[in-house]
Amino acid sequence: MLPALLPAIVLAAATSGSPAAVEVNVTDLAGIRAAVAAPGATAVLVTIWATWCDACRDEMPALLRFFHAHQPKGLRLILVSADDEDQRDQVALFLRAAGAQGAQAFIKQGDNETFVNAFDPSWTGAIPASFLYDSAGVKQRAWSGAVTPKELEAALRKVKKPTKGKP
């Protein structure tokens, strides 16, 4: 379905006042973990999704609204696409049209099963999937399937703030 929509997405993105481009990098698990652990965020939300996943596309607008509302408070959003590496341009177009500016975007590199098992052994691999980390990069919560802003809000409130002088 997405390939049929791409001309409309491209046209929408090309109009004046369109959102800025979103850079999409292909990376392995180590690159994603480095993005999670990078300093500067009070919390990190990782969402694994794909352009071919209806539930993922349906979840994206609310997820991005939540991110943009909480980004000034230190939330980092990392969007990891399960699309094939050669779909990088389509992923970037979708994210641009969706308004994913400010989020870090990646296409995961390598075998799906290996990625799933190494990323989180308790995850079945179903998408969308979201993982909330604290500022130290420690996983606090995970969701399999679409997550609601209400669920995200409740989980974000529970993420412990770093104590002054402690890692």
Side-chain angles (χ1 to χ4, degrees):
M1 183 174 185
L2 182 65
L5 294 175
L6 281 177
I9 292 171
V10 172
L11 180 61
T15 61
S16 65
S18 66
V22 175
E23 184 178 353
V24 177
N25 294 299
V26 176
T27 193
D28 59 8
L29 184 57
I32 294 166
R33 285 190 173 145
V36 169
T42 57
V44 180
L45 179 62
V46 176
T47 296
I48 303 173
W49 69 288
T51 59
W52 46 262
C53 167
D54 289 339
C56 301
R57 291 191 316 270
D58 290 346
E59 174 189 51
M60 194 65 69
L63 184 70
L64 291 172
R65 281 191 301 276
F66 181 85
F67 165 61
H68 290 300
H70 291 83
Q71 184 182 18
K73 301 170 195 167
L75 180 65
R76 177 182 300 142
L77 177 62
I78 299 172
L79 299 169
V80 180
S81 174
D83 287 277
D84 292 333
E85 294 174 34
D86 64 355
Q87 298 297 305
R88 185 175 174 178
D89 291 343
Q90 288 86 345
V91 170
L93 285 172
F94 176 85
L95 292 176
R96 178 181 181 180
Q101 293 71 26
Q104 291 179 289
F106 300 101
I107 293 179
K108 64 121 193 107
Q109 194 174 43
D111 173 68
N112 288 335
E113 187 173 344
T114 302
F115 177 83
V116 168
N117 292 330
F119 186 81
D120 186 335
S122 65
W123 175 37
T124 65
I127 58 173
S130 294
F131 305 84
L132 183 65
Y133 297 85
D134 64 18
S135 61
V138 176
K139 183 178 78 171
Q140 299 296 308
R141 182 74 205 274
W143 297 267
S144 188
V147 61
T148 66
K150 185 177 179 179
E151 292 170 309
L152 288 169
E153 190 72 51
L156 192 57
R157 278 195 306 270
K158 292 179 182 178
V159 171
K160 294 179 182 176
K161 305 260 191 245
T163 305
K164 199 172 192 178
K166 298 205 177 191

